[in-house]
Amino acid sequence: MVRARLPLVVRRALAEPLLLAAAFGSILLATTTISALLLHAGSATQAGVRRALETAPLTATATVVTSSVTAGDYAGVDRAVRTGIAHAHGDVPVRVIVRVESDSYALEGQDRGGRPVLTRFAMYEGLDGRADLVSGRWPPERTGAGTATVEVALSEPASGAMGVSTGDEFTVVGRLDGRKARVRVTGVFRLRDPGDPRWAGEELLRSGTKTGDFTSYGPLVVPSGTFLDRFATGVSARWLAEPDLRRLPPDRLRPFSASVGGVSRAVRAGCPRCTVTETLSATLLRLDRDALVARSTMLVPVFQLLVLGAYALALTARLLAEHRRMETALLRSRGGGSPRLAALSAGEALLIALPCAPVAPFLAPALLGLLGAFPWIEATGVEPPRTPDGATFAVAAAVALACAAMLAFPPLLAARRTYVEEQAERGRGDRPGLAQRAGADLALLVVAALAVWRLVHYDASEATRFGGELGLDPLIGAGPALALLGGGMAAVRLVPAVAGFAERATRRRSGFGPALAARQVSRRPARYAGPALLLTMAVAIGVLSLTTAATWRGAQEDRARHLAGADLRVAALPGDDARTFETLPGVVAAAPAYRATVVADSADATLIALDAARAGRVLLLRPDLSELSPAELAGRLAGPSGQALPVVVTAGLADAVRITAGTATIPIRVVGVVAAMPGTPEGTPALLADLAALREQAKGAQWPVTEWWLAADGHDTTRAAAVASGRGHRDVVDAAALTRSFRDDPTAAGLQGALLLGFAAALAFAVLGFLVNAAVLARERRGEFAVLGALGVRFRQTLGLLAAEQSFAIGLALAGGAALAVAVSAAVVPPMVSTGFATSGALPVLLHVPWPQVAVLMVAVLAVLSVIVAGLARSLHRREPAAALRSGEGQ
């Protein structure tokens, strides 16, 4: 009685609970997953931007201002510089520190063959906060001009090189005015981090010694008051501005970049002679563009799920329309016009889809919470939003409405036939679908090929909209999805051909199941083509997701190993030798090296001079970067030098014939070429030489060991890095640590979370679609299997029949999906990873297909589908044949 009072659209929906529950599940899964993926993409990108801002090197964020100053104008220039910097940075906190360096002074009594030993006085603001006293104290703030002795502090390396300590006194003589100054050392300090970018260009402060045309020791560090009173006579000052970017919101990157870009104008308004160098504006623009490309790349699983969810829903809608086609024809014959039927279909679709719109946004954060339980996702520090925002509700509503339209469309098409036409249609075999008859699947393949081609040749710098504004590029995400859909639709064309071949092959055999199964599939291929396409795309998405994640992880490891150059690379300290490092736990080889910037045929390049006898054991060179192995390259470097130094160079320096290091010009002979040089950033022009050969070639220059390259047993550097740091080696480059830092980057690692979520949703769609199709099949074929049961067909034969039938869809899905995914992966994954996350330099991304994981995926999918087929066979076999055969007697 209550049900009779319900509206027709509700009663009609309640009459098909199975199909409509499946439709509701598909829509809820689609809205929830897509909302979660978009939330995850936004959270991962924002976390990546925050980490990039927090860890950005000073060289990429600082502003440097230089000017000559005197004691009289220093205060005005200093005030103008700080005011201009503060104005350009707005409300972003910025710290400005200044360094002022005097003219050269000669150490009295240190004239070596007409080449005096030099030093300089210097003032470093905030040095006492970044250095520790080894002995003594810091000099007092001010000693008057009339004071005879200047109190200074010396760095530990300078103290050792000069042979002085706390309390010692010596005399220096001005190189320009000849004035003498008596100096007393009040303290010796040690920099906490000599590799700190704040000391870039301060080689004298870092090492205590600088060798060139003259040998210099120092500097002699004095307070600002003392410096201005006694040494500020037209000297050079350098201001370093350090912004605090930790609280800069990602949406302010571009506006803040424009503001910082005007720092030169702001500073020069008060100091016309100042020179301003800033890198922050370009860094912010690059970071904004990188975030855009990362978000675009994380749209890959979104587009894949859109396509897969749409097809799964279309398959359910088609099953519903086919199941109701006689009912719809009867309604039409009894006066139900197209508007009335359209209203019924639309109302039913909205009744199912609309509840998903408000529910999905609340389920999405919970789904992301489950995703964050995975260790590699948790390590990135990406925290999903706990409550949905307005954009999430808008996305869920849009997806739900689109799903409602797709659910209502097939019944509208079916409503065009009359009852007589439907009766006639039921006895016919399936015809190819409208899309196949129109060639839409082949056209889609062409569009997918164009999208993939565009993705392969995609340049991140082109991610702009009209007017120069940044915008998401949908091509990055749509390309793989279109390729999978087009390839899957093309593969479905094989179902009738394979079924026909199987029917002919089994026609004359005595087996019951295979022959009947082949006949069934050959007669109604569309019924099996739909689930086959759904499964094919789901498997392909799974394999593509696994391959993308494996390729990304491999790219990060390759990038880290290349940047490190060896398992461990340690900056040399005084007294280090081979035994210092060969005794570290796990270290199996140690090679000394010298690194410097040289000029190679008028172009700057990095020179690495490595002990060739040990280079083959420590050098991490990916095989595809060179035709020769590290051992072979080392052998060529250690060969006879003759009149030129044997070198291995990057491709851009293949024609170089000489290098200039300081004042030394060295002829070179190229004995090998690599695509990228280990131990240098990607794309850096570089040369590799033998350290002994370099010293032999240019005997007049000093080539000290600046770093040590170490190889660890099994590439396990954990203990060796810890012991080296404990011994005072703070400048350590650890390939394993670099790999972890790259993989933990939220923006890049966000792709793994998106792929994992998309992969799980794809399998859920596939299983749900296959289950619904199997259930509908069981309902429609009850009479057929009742007859078979009455004829004595056993359960094993029923199971064999259904397994043979479903093997067409399952076999095509597993084989075709894997093949399709590998083909698409080979085309799109390396450029996608390279553009979005790994590198755009000279280190190409290599495709990694994780075959063991792919095999596990195949076995898991086969097991789940086999359980469904077995359950279907058990359900059909248990039904009483008599009841099923009499079910139509009353009609």
Side-chain angles (χ1 to χ4, degrees), residues 106-110 119 169-173 179-183:
L107 293 174
E108 190 176 51
Q110 295 291 322
T119 189
E169 296 187 6
F170 54 90
T171 302
V172 296
V173 182
R179 296 177 58 185
K180 295 184 179 182
R182 189 66 179 169
V183 175

